[in-house]
Amino acid sequence: MTPTVVRIDRSSPQPRLLDATGPLISIEDEGYTRGDGAFETMLALDLTVRKLDLHLLRLAQSSRLLHLPRYDDADWQAAIELALSAAPAGTPSELGAEHTVKLLLSRGTPAEGPYGLVVVSAVPESTIAQRRDGVRAMLLPRGHDPAEDTAYPWLLAGAKTLSYAVNMAVLRHVRSLGAQDAIFTASDRRILEGATSSVIVARRDGDALTLLTPEPSHGILPGTTQGAIFEGARADGWELGFGPLYPADLLESDGVWLSSSVRLLAPVARLNNQALPVDRGLTDRLLGYLMSR
Amino acid sequence: MTPTVVRIDRSSPQPRLLDATGPLISIEDEGYTRGDGAFETMLALDLTVRKLDLHLLRLAQSSRLLHLPRYDDADWQAAIELALSAAPAGTPSELGAEHTVKLLLSRGTPAEGPYGLVVVSAVPESTIAQRRDGVRAMLLPRGHDPAEDTAYPWLLAGAKTLSYAVNMAVLRHVRSLGAQDAIFTASDRRILEGATSSVIVARRDGDALTLLTPEPSHGILPGTTQGAIFEGARADGWELGFGPLYPADLLESDGVWLSSSVRLLAPVARLNNQALPVDRGLTDRLLGYLMSR
């Protein structure tokens, strides 16, 4: 199914619906030739984008690090509205009609410069299924510790850029081994993040519930979904913990999830060769925090 | 000036000339959405590509790491020939008519899969000028040591991918400070490589000449230009050295160059705030090794 695409330019802020059945991008576009741009991927339920504010904030942060222009939130909103109104029906689920809404900011061509795109498509059934069925994940060394890069803005730590080849290579690697997702570890075996997600761990001790995630601001991209769930959990009386976490913390937990904006919460049913507890009640409770936001 | 573009597909290996005045790339192309692809940039002098064998070898290495199909060298050669024959005249210089010839391999769209492109354009005058005038370069921390990533093929160390946002950010950063190029250093101040080039250092001790470059296979992309120059220098009696190099080795040398395939050899005329010796004779001698290959 061809996605629905709307373009915004700073010179003419009126959003324009494009025909995506043919090619849209120039061979000289530096988003293409250099991965030089930023993106956000969001979920729309019944044509309403979830956590739009958090995504626009992170996109603004990426723009700043990349020295790309920042568009007004109202311009993005108008473009999103146009794209959703023109898109074919979303994938039906118990949460509503589901669309993926991607915001993309490219440096464009040397002649024409940067522009923004909104790209809307139906959420794949397989993505929705992983929320229920969970995923098999593997621990995978990240090589260097990403915290080593955070002091230098030119290394773009904290920007969500179009230069995503490593994340894709990691997913190909674990799939070739029969798993579906990867959790990065630092050289001291510390848990970092998923290939395209954050890691959330639940621990139950009598009536006390603790929700854990690796320490933020250490070169890990701050997860908007993880953040929203933690906000709700805190209000509901959970203890919150922010790493460091090690493989044993996941293997001995009462639940591990990969959180991301479209898949939402995918329980990790298997980590390397070990089965992990998948607690439907806990998943629904965490999902509730996200949905009531 | 619009570049000349030729496409090759594995399903129909006959190269096809495309009209690049309009958009060519699909919004779903993962070369665009994920920086998921590989490239090589080469120099053609009087319509003959320099060091084609070395570039095809490195592209094959990138393809292997990215799990992208490898095209036959003969398919690339036919595509290059078609593109060069259709391209407007190159930029005249003392070396001949100069074209940049880029090979690009993209993962393509999920529906259609990978493809290759040859993109030919005239070399910018400013690039040619830097061979003569030299560049002002700055030392810039690379954050982590890239050697930490080499053990893990999914981190794509050694692949030249379309995910090039950091290299571009580095160039923007040093330009904002009045320099033209960057030389990366590791956390122990060891010299690594340029943002888009290799580092070459010459040292003279009486009649003895030594040519130095940082140790290869430590997460540094092997430079085809550096390799070709070293080959010629060895045959001509130079001593060769392979790092580790530190800033003092550059500052106290008899010449520092950034070597890359199109700019060839750019003498570093200034490193941070210090002027470096620019020896036209030495530059011509090193260039001679490259040209006689």
Side-chain angles (χ1 to χ4, degrees), chain B residues 180-232:
Chain B
Q180 293 148 301
D181 220 318
I183 295 177
F184 282 129
T185 56
S187 52
D188 63 356
R189 301 273 288 157
R190 225 169 65 253
I191 300 293
L192 295 169
E193 59 190 337
T196 63
S197 57
S198 311
V199 176
I200 295 180
V201 177
R203 201 182 282 158
R204 227 196 275 266
D205 188 10
D207 281 348
L209 286 165
T210 308
L211 209 53
L212 302 147
T213 196
E215 57 278 53
S217 342
H218 279 62
I220 296 173
L221 201 71
T224 60
T225 305
Q226 172 268 318
I229 290 171
F230 271 50
E231 211 179 284

Side-chain angles (χ1 to χ4, degrees), chain B residues 231-254:
Chain B
E231 211 179 284
R234 184 197 301 271
D236 199 30
W238 290 63
E239 289 289 315
L240 301 183
F242 297 89
L245 296 172
Y246 294 89
D249 295 313
L250 276 53
L251 294 169
E252 294 159 12
S253 74
D254 294 291

Side-chain angles (χ1 to χ4, degrees), chain A residues 23-25 27 32 34-36 104 107 115 117 141-142 144 148-149 154-155 162-165 172-173, chain B residues 23-25 27 32 34-36 39 104 107 115 117 141-142 144 148-149 154-155 162-165 172-173:
Chain A
L24 285 180
I25 310 300
I27 185 70
Y32 178 69
R34 302 296 192 184
D36 200 353
L104 191 156
R107 193 167 308 278
Y115 61 89
L117 293 182
R142 180 67 188 90
H144 70 275
E148 296 175 57
D149 294 347
W154 53 85
L155 300 180
L162 295 177
S163 287
Y164 227 57
R172 271 193 305 278
H173 178 74
Chain B
L24 285 180
I25 310 300
I27 184 69
Y32 178 68
R34 302 295 191 186
D36 199 354
F39 75 102
L104 191 155
R107 193 165 309 278
Y115 61 88
L117 293 182
R142 179 68 188 88
H144 70 274
E148 295 175 58
D149 294 348
W154 53 85
L155 299 180
L162 295 176
S163 287
Y164 227 58
R172 273 192 304 278
H173 178 74

Side-chain angles (χ1 to χ4, degrees), chain B residues 21-34:
Chain B
T21 54
L24 285 180
I25 310 300
S26 162
I27 184 69
E28 297 183 272
D29 194 305
E30 292 174 2
Y32 178 68
T33 59
R34 302 295 191 186

Side-chain angles (χ1 to χ4, degrees), chain B residues 6-25:
Chain B
V6 166
R7 174 168 170 150
I8 50 174
D9 290 273
R10 276 165 70 91
S11 54
S12 57
Q14 200 65 21
R16 288 180 297 132
L17 191 63
L18 304 180
D19 174 8
T21 54
L24 285 180
I25 310 300

Side-chain angles (χ1 to χ4, degrees), chain B residues 15 45 49 51-52 59 74 89 95 97 114 118 124 126 130 169 175 180 186 192 204 224 260 265 267 289 293:
Chain B
L45 293 178
V49 173
K51 305 190 270 91
L52 179 59
L59 186 61
L95 299 177
V118 177
S126 58
Q130 290 188 352
R175 283 171 191 158
Q180 293 148 301
L192 295 169
R204 227 196 275 266
T224 60
S260 53
L265 275 172
Y289 301 142
R293 183 182 183 272

